[in-house]
Amino acid sequence: MVEVFGLSIGVLLVVVMVALHFSSGTERTIPDDISQSVLERRAESVPETNFPEPMNRSIGGGAAPAGAVGGEGEAEGELGEGGESEESSSPADIPDDEAEVFEINYEKEGETLEVPENQTLLEAGEEQGWDLPYACRAGQCLSCGGHVADGPSEDYLTHDGQEMLDEDELGDGYTLTCVAYPTADMTLETNETP
């Protein structure tokens, strides 16, 4: 008796499921996809910057620092009549075929890289696929901080535009890898700040 009762309940459930499967049901309208319009509105509300966005590590929305974006009333400053200063040449301007190459030992990553003098320490590490910390890429924060284990950082590096480290910190070997160009072989400890 139990087998017949169980079998009949099983058959009844199967018939009900088949009937529900083939029934027409109610019409449900699917709303339009609004994701593209939301992305476009979001893009219009974000200010343009003069530096590349640091992927998912943006701090403060990636807005440019005060005075970085030129406007109509922009002062001429030290450059005078809109000409370029002769002292403003960056190591990044050195042609690749003329750049001297230095051996940089990235201590925490356990590898030594040959880094040309026209490439930052951060860029060299990123080319290896390492997830090195950074935020502004302009030397205006401490996110990309590193430490030169061999001595004062200015003995081994040229800083192109760093604004965060004072002379004592540079003397202690601290550096900002996003604006640090090598000038000698050295050992670097990444993710170190004063």
CSV table of all heavy atoms in Angstrom, one decimal, residues 110-152:
chain,number,residue,atom,x,y,z
A,110,GLY,N,61.9,40.1,-4.5
A,110,GLY,CA,62.9,39.1,-4.7
A,110,GLY,C,63.5,39.0,-6.1
A,110,GLY,O,64.0,38.0,-6.5
A,111,GLU,N,63.5,40.1,-6.8
A,111,GLU,CA,64.1,40.1,-8.2
A,111,GLU,C,64.9,41.4,-8.4
A,111,GLU,O,64.7,42.4,-7.8
A,111,GLU,CB,62.9,40.1,-9.2
A,111,GLU,CG,62.3,38.8,-9.3
A,111,GLU,CD,61.3,38.7,-10.5
A,111,GLU,OE1,61.7,39.2,-11.6
A,111,GLU,OE2,60.2,38.2,-10.4
A,112,THR,N,65.8,41.3,-9.3
A,112,THR,CA,66.6,42.4,-9.7
A,112,THR,C,66.3,42.7,-11.2
A,112,THR,O,66.3,41.8,-12.0
A,112,THR,CB,68.2,42.1,-9.6
A,112,THR,OG1,68.4,41.8,-8.3
A,112,THR,CG2,69.0,43.3,-10.1
A,113,LEU,N,65.9,44.0,-11.5
A,113,LEU,CA,65.5,44.4,-12.8
A,113,LEU,C,66.6,45.4,-13.3
A,113,LEU,O,67.2,46.2,-12.6
A,113,LEU,CB,64.2,45.1,-12.8
A,113,LEU,CG,63.0,44.4,-12.2
A,113,LEU,CD1,61.7,45.2,-12.3
A,113,LEU,CD2,62.8,43.1,-13.0
A,114,GLU,N,66.7,45.4,-14.7
A,114,GLU,CA,67.5,46.5,-15.3
A,114,GLU,C,66.5,47.6,-15.7
A,114,GLU,O,65.6,47.4,-16.5
A,114,GLU,CB,68.2,45.9,-16.6
A,114,GLU,CG,69.3,44.9,-16.2
A,114,GLU,CD,70.0,44.5,-17.5
A,114,GLU,OE1,69.6,44.7,-18.6
A,114,GLU,OE2,71.1,43.8,-17.3
A,115,VAL,N,66.7,48.7,-15.1
A,115,VAL,CA,65.8,49.9,-15.2
A,115,VAL,C,66.5,51.0,-15.9
A,115,VAL,O,67.5,51.5,-15.4
A,115,VAL,CB,65.2,50.3,-13.9
A,115,VAL,CG1,64.2,51.5,-14.1
A,115,VAL,CG2,64.5,49.2,-13.2
A,116,PRO,N,66.0,51.5,-17.1
A,116,PRO,CA,66.7,52.6,-17.7
A,116,PRO,C,66.4,53.9,-16.9
A,116,PRO,O,65.5,54.0,-16.2
A,116,PRO,CB,66.0,52.7,-19.1
A,116,PRO,CG,64.8,52.0,-19.0
A,116,PRO,CD,64.9,51.0,-17.8
A,117,GLU,N,67.3,54.9,-17.1
A,117,GLU,CA,67.2,56.1,-16.4
A,117,GLU,C,66.0,57.0,-16.8
A,117,GLU,O,65.7,58.0,-16.1
A,117,GLU,CB,68.5,56.9,-16.5
A,117,GLU,CG,68.8,57.4,-17.9
A,117,GLU,CD,70.1,58.2,-18.0
A,117,GLU,OE1,70.5,58.8,-17.0
A,117,GLU,OE2,70.7,58.1,-19.1
A,118,ASN,N,65.3,56.6,-17.9
A,118,ASN,CA,64.2,57.4,-18.3
A,118,ASN,C,62.9,56.7,-17.9
A,118,ASN,O,61.8,57.0,-18.5
A,118,ASN,CB,64.2,57.6,-19.8
A,118,ASN,CG,64.2,56.4,-20.6
A,118,ASN,OD1,64.3,55.2,-20.1
A,118,ASN,ND2,64.1,56.5,-21.9
A,119,GLN,N,62.9,55.7,-17.0
A,119,GLN,CA,61.7,55.0,-16.5
A,119,GLN,C,61.6,55.1,-15.0
A,119,GLN,O,62.7,54.9,-14.3
A,119,GLN,CB,61.8,53.6,-17.0
A,119,GLN,CG,60.5,52.8,-16.7
A,119,GLN,CD,60.6,51.3,-17.2
A,119,GLN,OE1,61.7,50.7,-17.1
A,119,GLN,NE2,59.5,50.8,-17.7
A,120,THR,N,60.4,55.3,-14.5
A,120,THR,CA,60.3,55.3,-13.0
A,120,THR,C,60.4,53.9,-12.4
A,120,THR,O,60.1,52.9,-13.1
A,120,THR,CB,59.0,56.0,-12.6
A,120,THR,OG1,57.9,55.2,-13.0
A,120,THR,CG2,58.8,57.4,-13.2
A,121,LEU,N,60.7,53.9,-11.2
A,121,LEU,CA,60.7,52.6,-10.5
A,121,LEU,C,59.4,51.9,-10.4
A,121,LEU,O,59.3,50.7,-10.5
A,121,LEU,CB,61.3,52.8,-9.1
A,121,LEU,CG,62.7,53.4,-9.0
A,121,LEU,CD1,63.1,53.7,-7.5
A,121,LEU,CD2,63.7,52.5,-9.7
A,122,LEU,N,58.3,52.7,-10.3
A,122,LEU,CA,57.0,52.2,-10.3
A,122,LEU,C,56.6,51.5,-11.7
A,122,LEU,O,56.1,50.4,-11.8
A,122,LEU,CB,55.9,53.3,-10.0
A,122,LEU,CG,54.5,52.9,-10.1
A,122,LEU,CD1,54.1,51.8,-9.1
A,122,LEU,CD2,53.6,54.1,-9.9
A,123,GLU,N,56.9,52.2,-12.8
A,123,GLU,CA,56.7,51.7,-14.1
A,123,GLU,C,57.4,50.4,-14.4
A,123,GLU,O,56.9,49.5,-15.0
A,123,GLU,CB,57.0,52.8,-15.2
A,123,GLU,CG,56.2,54.0,-15.2
A,123,GLU,CD,56.7,55.1,-16.1
A,123,GLU,OE1,57.9,55.0,-16.4
A,123,GLU,OE2,56.0,56.1,-16.3
A,124,ALA,N,58.7,50.3,-13.9
A,124,ALA,CA,59.4,49.1,-14.1
A,124,ALA,C,58.8,47.9,-13.4
A,124,ALA,O,58.7,46.8,-14.0
A,124,ALA,CB,60.9,49.4,-13.6
A,125,GLY,N,58.3,48.2,-12.2
A,125,GLY,CA,57.7,47.1,-11.5
A,125,GLY,C,56.4,46.7,-12.1
A,125,GLY,O,56.0,45.5,-12.1
A,126,GLU,N,55.6,47.6,-12.6
A,126,GLU,CA,54.3,47.3,-13.2
A,126,GLU,C,54.5,46.5,-14.5
A,126,GLU,O,53.7,45.7,-14.8
A,126,GLU,CB,53.6,48.6,-13.5
A,126,GLU,CG,53.0,49.2,-12.3
A,126,GLU,CD,52.2,50.5,-12.5
A,126,GLU,OE1,52.6,51.2,-13.5
A,126,GLU,OE2,51.3,50.8,-11.8
A,127,GLU,N,55.6,46.8,-15.2
A,127,GLU,CA,55.9,46.0,-16.4
A,127,GLU,C,56.2,44.6,-16.1
A,127,GLU,O,56.0,43.7,-17.0
A,127,GLU,CB,57.1,46.6,-17.2
A,127,GLU,CG,56.8,47.8,-18.0
A,127,GLU,CD,58.0,48.4,-18.8
A,127,GLU,OE1,59.1,47.7,-18.7
A,127,GLU,OE2,57.8,49.4,-19.4
A,128,GLN,N,56.6,44.3,-14.9
A,128,GLN,CA,56.8,42.9,-14.5
A,128,GLN,C,55.5,42.2,-14.0
A,128,GLN,O,55.5,41.1,-13.6
A,128,GLN,CB,57.8,42.8,-13.3
A,128,GLN,CG,59.2,43.3,-13.7
A,128,GLN,CD,59.8,42.4,-14.8
A,128,GLN,OE1,59.8,41.2,-14.7
A,128,GLN,NE2,60.2,43.0,-15.9
A,129,GLY,N,54.4,43.0,-13.9
A,129,GLY,CA,53.1,42.5,-13.5
A,129,GLY,C,52.9,42.6,-12.0
A,129,GLY,O,52.0,42.0,-11.5
A,130,TRP,N,53.8,43.3,-11.3
A,130,TRP,CA,53.7,43.4,-9.9
A,130,TRP,C,52.6,44.4,-9.5
A,130,TRP,O,52.4,45.4,-10.2
A,130,TRP,CB,55.0,43.9,-9.2
A,130,TRP,CG,56.1,42.9,-9.5
A,130,TRP,CD1,56.0,41.6,-9.7
A,130,TRP,CD2,57.5,43.2,-9.5
A,130,TRP,NE1,57.3,41.0,-9.9
A,130,TRP,CE2,58.2,42.0,-9.7
A,130,TRP,CE3,58.2,44.4,-9.3
A,130,TRP,CZ2,59.6,42.0,-9.8
A,130,TRP,CZ3,59.6,44.3,-9.3
A,130,TRP,CH2,60.3,43.1,-9.6
A,131,ASP,N,51.9,44.2,-8.4
A,131,ASP,CA,50.8,45.1,-8.0
A,131,ASP,C,51.4,46.0,-6.9
A,131,ASP,O,51.2,45.9,-5.7
A,131,ASP,CB,49.6,44.3,-7.4
A,131,ASP,CG,48.5,45.2,-7.0
A,131,ASP,OD1,48.3,46.3,-7.6
A,131,ASP,OD2,47.7,44.8,-6.2
A,132,LEU,N,52.2,47.0,-7.4
A,132,LEU,CA,52.8,48.0,-6.5
A,132,LEU,C,51.8,49.1,-6.2
A,132,LEU,O,51.0,49.5,-7.0
A,132,LEU,CB,54.0,48.6,-7.2
A,132,LEU,CG,55.1,47.6,-7.5
A,132,LEU,CD1,56.3,48.3,-8.2
A,132,LEU,CD2,55.7,46.9,-6.3
A,133,PRO,N,51.9,49.6,-4.9
A,133,PRO,CA,50.9,50.6,-4.5
A,133,PRO,C,51.2,52.0,-5.2
A,133,PRO,O,52.3,52.3,-5.4
A,133,PRO,CB,51.1,50.7,-3.0
A,133,PRO,CG,52.5,50.2,-2.8
A,133,PRO,CD,52.8,49.2,-3.9
A,134,TYR,N,50.1,52.7,-5.5
A,134,TYR,CA,50.2,54.1,-6.0
A,134,TYR,C,48.8,54.7,-5.9
A,134,TYR,O,47.8,54.0,-5.7
A,134,TYR,CB,50.7,54.1,-7.4
A,134,TYR,CG,49.8,53.5,-8.4
A,134,TYR,CD1,48.9,54.3,-9.1
A,134,TYR,CD2,49.8,52.1,-8.7
A,134,TYR,CE1,48.0,53.7,-10.0
A,134,TYR,CE2,49.0,51.6,-9.6
A,134,TYR,CZ,48.1,52.4,-10.3
A,134,TYR,OH,47.2,51.8,-11.2
A,135,ALA,N,48.8,56.0,-6.1
A,135,ALA,CA,47.5,56.7,-6.2
A,135,ALA,C,47.6,57.9,-7.2
A,135,ALA,O,47.0,57.8,-8.3
A,135,ALA,CB,47.1,57.3,-4.8
A,136,CYS,N,48.4,58.9,-7.0
A,136,CYS,CA,48.4,60.1,-7.8
A,136,CYS,C,49.3,60.0,-9.0
A,136,CYS,O,49.1,60.7,-10.0
A,136,CYS,CB,48.8,61.3,-6.9
A,136,CYS,SG,50.5,61.4,-6.5
A,137,ARG,N,50.4,59.3,-9.0
A,137,ARG,CA,51.4,59.2,-10.0
A,137,ARG,C,52.0,60.6,-10.3
A,137,ARG,O,52.5,60.8,-11.4
A,137,ARG,CB,50.8,58.6,-11.3
A,137,ARG,CG,50.5,57.2,-11.3
A,137,ARG,CD,50.2,56.6,-12.6
A,137,ARG,NE,49.9,55.2,-12.6
A,137,ARG,CZ,50.8,54.3,-12.8
A,137,ARG,NH1,52.0,54.6,-13.1
A,137,ARG,NH2,50.5,53.0,-12.8
A,138,ALA,N,52.0,61.5,-9.4
A,138,ALA,CA,52.5,62.8,-9.6
A,138,ALA,C,53.4,63.3,-8.4
A,138,ALA,O,53.8,64.4,-8.4
A,138,ALA,CB,51.4,63.8,-9.8
A,139,GLY,N,53.7,62.4,-7.5
A,139,GLY,CA,54.6,62.8,-6.4
A,139,GLY,C,53.9,63.7,-5.4
A,139,GLY,O,54.6,64.4,-4.6
A,140,GLN,N,52.6,63.6,-5.3
A,140,GLN,CA,51.8,64.4,-4.4
A,140,GLN,C,51.1,63.7,-3.2
A,140,GLN,O,50.3,64.2,-2.6
A,140,GLN,CB,50.8,65.2,-5.2
A,140,GLN,CG,51.5,66.1,-6.2
A,140,GLN,CD,50.4,66.9,-7.0
A,140,GLN,OE1,49.3,66.8,-6.8
A,140,GLN,NE2,50.9,67.7,-8.0
A,141,CYS,N,51.5,62.4,-3.1
A,141,CYS,CA,50.9,61.6,-1.9
A,141,CYS,C,52.0,60.6,-1.5
A,141,CYS,O,53.1,60.7,-2.1
A,141,CYS,CB,49.7,60.9,-2.3
A,141,CYS,SG,49.9,59.5,-3.5
A,142,LEU,N,51.8,59.8,-0.6
A,142,LEU,CA,52.8,58.8,-0.1
A,142,LEU,C,52.4,57.4,-0.4
A,142,LEU,O,53.1,56.5,0.0
A,142,LEU,CB,53.0,59.0,1.4
A,142,LEU,CG,53.6,60.3,1.9
A,142,LEU,CD1,53.5,60.4,3.4
A,142,LEU,CD2,55.0,60.5,1.4
A,143,SER,N,51.4,57.2,-1.3
A,143,SER,CA,50.9,55.8,-1.6
A,143,SER,C,52.0,54.9,-2.2
A,143,SER,O,52.1,53.7,-1.9
A,143,SER,CB,49.8,55.9,-2.5
A,143,SER,OG,48.7,56.6,-1.9
A,144,CYS,N,52.9,55.5,-3.0
A,144,CYS,CA,53.9,54.7,-3.7
A,144,CYS,C,55.2,54.7,-3.0
A,144,CYS,O,56.2,54.3,-3.6
A,144,CYS,CB,54.1,55.2,-5.1
A,144,CYS,SG,54.8,56.9,-5.2
A,145,GLY,N,55.3,55.1,-1.7
A,145,GLY,CA,56.5,55.2,-1.0
A,145,GLY,C,57.4,54.0,-1.1
A,145,GLY,O,56.9,52.8,-1.1
A,146,GLY,N,58.7,54.2,-1.1
A,146,GLY,CA,59.7,53.1,-1.0
A,146,GLY,C,60.9,53.6,-0.2
A,146,GLY,O,61.0,54.8,0.2
A,147,HIS,N,61.8,52.7,0.0
A,147,HIS,CA,63.0,53.0,0.8
A,147,HIS,C,64.2,52.4,0.1
A,147,HIS,O,64.3,51.3,-0.3
A,147,HIS,CB,62.9,52.4,2.2
A,147,HIS,CG,64.0,52.8,3.1
A,147,HIS,ND1,65.0,51.9,3.4
A,147,HIS,CD2,64.3,53.9,3.8
A,147,HIS,CE1,65.9,52.5,4.2
A,147,HIS,NE2,65.5,53.7,4.4
A,148,VAL,N,65.2,53.3,-0.1
A,148,VAL,CA,66.5,52.9,-0.7
A,148,VAL,C,67.4,52.3,0.5
A,148,VAL,O,67.7,53.1,1.4
A,148,VAL,CB,67.2,54.1,-1.4
A,148,VAL,CG1,68.5,53.6,-1.9
A,148,VAL,CG2,66.3,54.6,-2.5
A,149,ALA,N,67.7,51.1,0.4
A,149,ALA,CA,68.4,50.4,1.5
A,149,ALA,C,69.9,50.8,1.5
A,149,ALA,O,70.5,50.7,2.5
A,149,ALA,CB,68.3,48.9,1.4
A,150,ASP,N,70.4,51.4,0.4
A,150,ASP,CA,71.8,51.6,0.3
A,150,ASP,C,72.2,53.0,0.8
A,150,ASP,O,73.4,53.3,0.9
A,150,ASP,CB,72.2,51.5,-1.2
A,150,ASP,CG,71.9,50.2,-1.8
A,150,ASP,OD1,72.1,49.2,-1.1
A,150,ASP,OD2,71.5,50.1,-2.9
A,151,GLY,N,71.3,53.9,1.2
A,151,GLY,CA,71.7,55.2,1.7
A,151,GLY,C,70.7,56.3,1.3
A,151,GLY,O,69.6,56.0,0.9
A,152,PRO,N,71.1,57.5,1.3
A,152,PRO,CA,70.2,58.6,0.9
A,152,PRO,C,69.7,58.4,-0.5
A,152,PRO,O,70.4,58.1,-1.4
A,152,PRO,CB,71.1,59.9,1.0
A,152,PRO,CG,72.2,59.5,1.9
A,152,PRO,CD,72.4,58.0,1.7
